[in-house]
């Protein structure tokens, strides 16, 4: 479904942020990417929907190459939904409009079909009844669920999450994680950058550990948590897991 082949990226001639990263994410697989701050996790997933360009290497999504000048980026970004730490909703549009605009402009859906889909998804993420409000009138947890619903409205083949709960107050984290858990259980292909190791244990098929721009480990969550293979992963886990 998603394939990274020897991806390298330099932000400047002296700073290589991604070093020979290769990764295959199968259909329906949930991969959690973790690692220390600055290790390149956000950059890696942004490359998957071409929000960042790779310097060399290839990325394929559902058989189509992302890393070619010929890539159809609007179509790619509809197929691969992305949810950011900072929600990135359109603040001047109602929740309903946030969910409809991409469906109408990119997918060419009729107004009626877009509204029906939006309402169905708002119901699914537990915020039916808020459709007429503006993002600023909702809590952070509600805004993030809107962002997930907006991505799902495009019928994506995969979803990318970049620290989706990092900006939320603790009591709102679970309401967002619950939506992500149900998506995972329904078979959505997902790549999730997160420090929520409880989520990782519960739904990740695989954990990818990054450090210094490299994919240092890629293992099932059982193996990764019980028997990390490298000192770097052990040091990371000892900092973030309760003792
Ligand atoms: N546009 C950019 N130009 C130059 N350097 C950048 C840019 N974006 C990120 N970086 C640097 O690249 C490195 C990796 O950043 P990235 O955000 O991918 O890491 P991360 O592992 O997601 O970190 P965090 O967990 O703190 O979000 C960092 O040192 C960051 O400062």
């Amino acid at each position: 479904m998603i394939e990274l082949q020897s991806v390298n990226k330099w932000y400047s001639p002296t700073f290589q942020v991604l070093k020979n990263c290769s990764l295959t994410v199968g259909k329906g697989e949930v991969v959690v990417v973790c690692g220390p701050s600055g290790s390149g996790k956000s950059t890696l997933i942004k490359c998957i929907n071409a929000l960042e360009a790779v310097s060399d290497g290839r990325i394929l999504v559902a058989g189509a190459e992302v890393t070619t000048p010929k890539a159809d980026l609007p179509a790619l970004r509809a197929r691969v939904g992305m949810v950011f730490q900072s929600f990135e909703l359109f603040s001047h549009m109602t929740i309903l409009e946030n969910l409809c605009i991409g469906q109408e402009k990119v997918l060419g859906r009729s107004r009626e079909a877009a509204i029906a889909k939006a309402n169905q998804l708002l119901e699914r993420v537990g915020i039916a009844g808020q459709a007429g409000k503006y993002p600023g009138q909702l809590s952070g947890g509600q805004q993030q669920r809107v962002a997930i619903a907006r991505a799902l409205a495009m019928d994506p083949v995969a979803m990318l999450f970049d620290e989706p709960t990092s900006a939320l107050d603790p009591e709102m984290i679970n309401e967002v994680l619950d939506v992500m858990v149900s998506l995972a259980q329904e078979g959505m292909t997902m790549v999730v950058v997160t420090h929520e190791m409880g989520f990782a244990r519960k739904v990740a098929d695989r954990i990818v550990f990054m450090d210094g721009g490299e994919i240092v480990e890629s293992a099932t969550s059982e193996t990764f948590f019980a028997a990390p293979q490298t000192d770097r992963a052990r040091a990371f886990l000892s900092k973030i897991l309760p003792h």
Side-chain angles (χ1 to χ4, degrees):
M1 173 61 72
I2 298 173
E3 198 173 347
L4 283 76
Q5 300 171 347
S6 305
V7 167
N8 288 290
K9 179 174 177 66
W10 282 261
Y11 273 127
S12 74
T14 53
F15 179 47
Q16 185 172 5
V17 62
L18 297 178
K19 298 175 185 163
N20 201 28
C21 292
S22 294
L23 175 67
T24 303
V25 183
K27 188 166 168 19
E29 213 182 346
V30 178
V31 171
V32 163
V33 182
C34 65
S37 180
S39 54
K41 308 180 296 292
S42 292
T43 304
L44 183 86
I45 67 164
K46 283 181 184 156
C47 288
I48 297 173
N49 71 350
L51 286 177
E52 290 286 354
V54 306
S55 303
D56 63 57
R58 293 172 83 218
I59 299 178
L60 296 119
V61 174
E65 187 175 352
V66 173
T67 41
T68 159
K70 291 187 215 130
D72 178 350
L73 296 186
L76 166 72
R77 291 184 189 135
R79 282 210 313 271
V80 182
M82 178 130 188
V83 174
F84 301 89
Q85 181 176 340
S86 51
F87 323 139
E88 308 286 343
L89 297 173
F90 302 120
S91 59
H92 61 292
M93 289 182 191
T94 64
I95 300 309
L96 184 70
E97 288 305 327
N98 265 277
L99 265 72
C100 287
I101 185 167
Q103 297 187 65
E104 294 177 65
K105 295 242 187 295
V106 180
L107 302 183
R109 279 197 186 131
S110 69
R111 181 85 190 145
E112 297 69 36
I115 290 174
K117 181 93 181 175
N119 284 328
Q120 174 208 329
L121 285 165
L122 288 174
E123 177 106 28
R124 171 174 176 180
V125 300
I127 36 182
Q130 313 283 2
K133 291 191 179 166
Y134 287 86
Q137 297 173 291
L138 302 187
S139 71
Q142 289 173 322
Q143 289 187 60
Q144 194 59 299
R145 285 182 284 149
V146 171
I148 295 172
R150 183 177 61 177
L152 293 175
M154 307 300 280
D155 294 328
V157 295
M159 291 278 289
L160 310 175
F161 293 85
D162 190 3
E163 301 199 26
T165 58
S166 299
L168 299 177
D169 291 337
E171 73 271 20
M172 291 172 192
I173 290 176
N174 281 335
E175 65 191 47
V176 171
L177 291 178
D178 287 348
V179 171
M180 293 169 61
V181 168
S182 77
L183 263 183
Q185 288 170 343
E186 286 163 25
M188 176 62 77
T189 305
M190 294 165 58
V191 183
V192 185
V193 174
T194 186
H195 298 293
E196 294 291 337
M197 292 297 123
F199 170 83
R201 276 184 202 274
K202 194 164 173 183
V203 298
D205 295 301
R206 204 143 44 92
I207 310 276
V208 164
F209 170 71
M210 291 186 72
D211 194 15
E214 292 173 287
I215 294 179
V216 177
E217 296 198 23
S218 175
T220 62
S221 64
E222 292 82 6
T223 303
F224 181 71
F225 288 114
Q229 299 296 297
T230 59
D231 288 343
R232 291 198 271 181
R234 276 190 286 275
F236 173 75
L237 285 172
S238 74
K239 282 190 200 129
I240 63 160
L241 292 179
H243 296 283

